Amino acid sequence: MAHGTGLGAPAERNDPGALRIGSIAGIDVMVRTSWLLVAALIAYIAAPGIEQVSPGLGALKYVAGAAFAVLLTLSLLLHEISHAIMAQRFGLPVRSITLHFIGGVTAIEREPSTPKQAFWISAVGPVTSLAIGGLAFALWQVMPEGLLQFVVGALAGTNLLVGVLNLVPGMPLDGGLVLRAAIWKLTGNPHRGTMVAGWAGRVVALLMLFSPAIMEWLGVSTGPTDYIVALLLGWFLWSAATQAIMSAKVRARLPALQARSLARRTLAVPEHLPLAEAVRRAQDAGAGSLVTVDSSGRPVGLVNEEAVLATPDDRRPWLPTSAVARTVDPGLTLRADIGGEDLVRAMQESPASEYLLLDDDGGLYGVLVTSDVDRAFSATT
Ligand SMILES: [Zn+2]
């Protein structure tokens, strides 16, 4: 149903509540335990209907119910796969597809770069569900009565329902993402799109929350189950819409973060130079950071400011600078012109306290200190 680009959050890869069931086109496909519970519930709810169309099945009706739940899961997966394939077509890497209690999430690693891409990635999901539902409905009409027809009919109903519900224009539903793309197109501002679609999502959540009361008011009788379901779905939609609004606020501030303007001037020193001498030279040069280089002048270590401060003055003349430096791994080297979301993603992929910034020609530009980035980010509020 929903799909999105969480800023980083690779945590779900080792999510203990999710079961990896395979991969399609290099995308991890996962099922959360919450979905397995819902699937079991669906099998249980479908069983009496199955009993009616094919009496005498006995306990086998639950097996048939489970088979229906599996088919339903597969059709929901097709919905998510359609989002994933569309994203890949636009060159956006897709990390995973996860089914959870109310549908699925396709985790796309990068934001679509145009409203058109955003529109198609979102719209293809409900279109896929409506197509599956329509196909199943056509099949249902020409099939002989019986168990198989019942299952095909139930698949038609659920997929049509999923397709229609996902057209509701509030985030996190696909329709909300379509609305976001439309506002983005109109205003040229993706964050404004998210704010509008997020607030629309909150309205949808409130309508869901009060739906049993609204139904009562319209003269439809409701039971306690309706209130529980409305509470669960309403709460889920509210928190997802709120999350979208929050992330839009964060994202709107990201372009202000530019590595080049946050960089500290750095001084390159030989690895074996005593720390005291390195610090003295850095102070003389007005450099806010230190990088160690090997005999050929290649940067090999990033000096950690906290480690320097933690080293007592009387130890500094006897300690080689390399002792307080972290080896420059590939992930710790960034281009000086990186900024915004790309910068945040690069930092999340290789968490560190310092990063080496290189010029276009590979020359040493400076050092980016994580705490400087954090401070700059808090200052933009
Ligand atoms: Zn969807």
Side-chain angles (χ1 to χ4, degrees), residues 77-169:
L77 264 182
L78 280 176
H79 172 117
E80 296 306 325
I81 289 167
S82 73
H83 287 308
I85 289 175
M86 193 58 88
Q88 283 186 332
R89 266 184 60 119
F90 290 126
L92 306 175
V94 179
R95 190 170 55 222
S96 62
I97 290 174
T98 308
L99 286 184
H100 60 84
F101 84 102
I102 183 186
V105 180
T106 302
I108 302 166
E109 298 210 353
R110 258 204 337 264
E111 275 281 290
S113 48
T114 63
K116 189 180 152 200
Q117 290 183 357
F119 171 82
W120 283 111
I121 294 169
S122 314
V124 72
V127 169
T128 303
S129 288
L130 290 176
I132 296 170
L135 211 67
F137 181 70
L139 257 175
W140 175 79
Q141 281 185 312
V142 297
M143 278 172 88
E145 270 181 40
L147 178 59
L148 205 58
Q149 195 217 21
F150 175 80
V151 168
V152 169
L155 272 178
T158 42
N159 276 285
L160 289 174
L161 188 69
V162 166
V164 169
L165 283 182
N166 264 297
L167 289 175
V168 173

